[in-house]
Amino acid sequence: MEKSDPIIIIENACKYFGQLKAVNNVSLSIQPGEKVVIIGPSGSGKSTLLRSINRLEEISSGRIVVDGLDIMDKSNDINKIRMEVGMVFQSFNLFPHKTALQNLTMAPIKLRKMAREQAEEIALRLLKKVNIQDKAHAYPAQLSGGQQQRVAIARALAMNPKIMLFDEPTSALDPEMIGEVLDVMKNLALEGMTMVVVTHEMGFAREVADRVIFMDHGAVVEEGTPEHFFHNPTHERTKLFLSQIL
Amino acid sequence: MSHENPKVIEISDGAAIPTKKDFGLFSAWRIAFFGALLVLIYLVVTRPDPYLRIVKFLPDGIIVTFQVTFFSIALALLLGLITGLGRISRNKIINAIASTYVEVVRGIPLLVQLFYIYYALGRFVKVPDMVAAVVAMSVCYGAYMGEVFRAGIESIDKGQTEAARSLGFNRRQTMFYVILPQAWRTILPPVGNEFIALLKDTSLVSILAVADLLRRGREFASETFAYFETYTVIALIYLLITLILSKLVSLMEERLNYYGKV
């Protein structure tokens, strides 16, 4: 596969929950190393779209190709695909019965068949990277929200994924902890990770995004560079949304 | 959120599991336990005939009661795990089998099940009474355990499954590495309760020619006509065993208290 090929291709994706069209005919392609930030009012389908990329939600119609593999094609092992796609949740979802370190080493040991020593070495390095190495042996319940989310990011990185998905990673955090999580994400962006981020943090979008996508009622309303997006939005709905949150 | 305390499953046909505050000097547990112990000792010391004779006659029966209890609980746990997983299975056939099993078993009194399984088994295969008793007890309690397991598994936040699946774990790995290790802590208290309830219910197998505690007592009573004295001792012994077990369960629960919460 050539480097210029998109790493994520979404074609005419639709997702219905009963009558509700959560995602309405979205097409999108994302290049390796690209940082895409998806914004939009709540209920606009942005989280559902993001969760469709690793098939936590199954799209009702359309096609999603991740790293060259059609994720709806049952002959492709979805678990193999997910190993290459890290996911960070709003509510952290750390495993409470495991220490921070064990949260990081579990998947590499069980799924990548990595030796424990090697997995722990990598885990400690990642915990250092997210600036929380001193809590390696703490349980999630002993960590603050910001610390838990940084461990959760490190846990996803421990699988050495090609893509990282972030589903409102700072929405459940107290305001004073948002910065520490965003800093970790910014550093990750600088390292060239392919990132798709659903967030309400406009500062982050402005600073980090290569492309900002605005969704409303399940559809992509407008997309462009942060420059274009924040300074010259073309659509009325985008303008209205931005005026409400900025 | 993923780290809230687990939901409490309320199934209490076992015995009251003492909590920490029940360990005061005048707690119900202490009054019952030491009261029963003192009464038993008093009777044996002051009236060795028949009480000492009764007490000496019963240990074999106590051993059998424990044997039936342990084998039944082990098998019931296994059946319960399978049933619980079956009940949450997406496979409609497996789900229907597990659900039907639970419904049928819950709808039939244990004593009727015991008779039925005992004689049904006896009709096709010759098995020792003990085996028939254990099978019957486990089939019945497996259904209850299945509900306990199901409730325990369902009490774990959906986010845990999503996190595990996102890392690349398949459904089975997610269940065994992530969900069950957490569900265990929700499951344990009701399992302890079921264990105690099962021990008491093993007295029913005395009807099936299994020489458990109650059966031994009946044998003694029918030979000596000391019915009142014998059943007094039997009741006291069941009470003591149950109280000891309920305390053990509560100690175990404390040890398994929630991760990293001091």
Side-chain angles (χ1 to χ4, degrees), chain B residues 9 58 93 111 191:
Chain B
I9 306 168
L58 295 176
I93 297 167
L111 188 54
V191 163

Side-chain angles (χ1 to χ4, degrees), chain A residues 51 82 94-96 142 148, chain B residues 3 160 162 165-166 182 260:
Chain A
R51 288 159 56 85
R82 282 174 175 156
L94 289 177
F95 305 133
Q142 297 166 323
Q148 287 190 51
Chain B
H3 310 123
Q160 292 291 306
E162 291 187 349
R165 298 305 305 275
S166 296
Q182 295 180 57

Side-chain angles (χ1 to χ4, degrees), chain A residues 83 93-116 118-120 123 154-156 158-159, chain B residues 160-161 163-165 167-170 172-182:
Chain A
M83 283 163 70
N93 296 343
L94 289 177
F95 305 133
H97 60 305
K98 301 277 181 188
T99 63
L101 187 72
Q102 289 167 339
N103 263 278
L104 267 68
T105 56
M106 196 169 145
I109 290 172
K110 305 276 190 203
L111 297 173
R112 297 241 192 252
K113 308 293 175 205
M114 196 181 281
R116 176 171 302 278
Q118 195 194 350
E120 285 183 354
R155 174 177 67 178
M159 286 299 278
Chain B
Q160 292 291 306
T161 304
R165 298 305 305 275
L167 286 166
F169 289 108
N170 61 31
R172 191 179 50 79
Q173 290 166 325
T174 299
M175 185 55 70
F176 284 95
Y177 297 146
V178 175
I179 305 302
L180 283 177
Q182 295 180 57

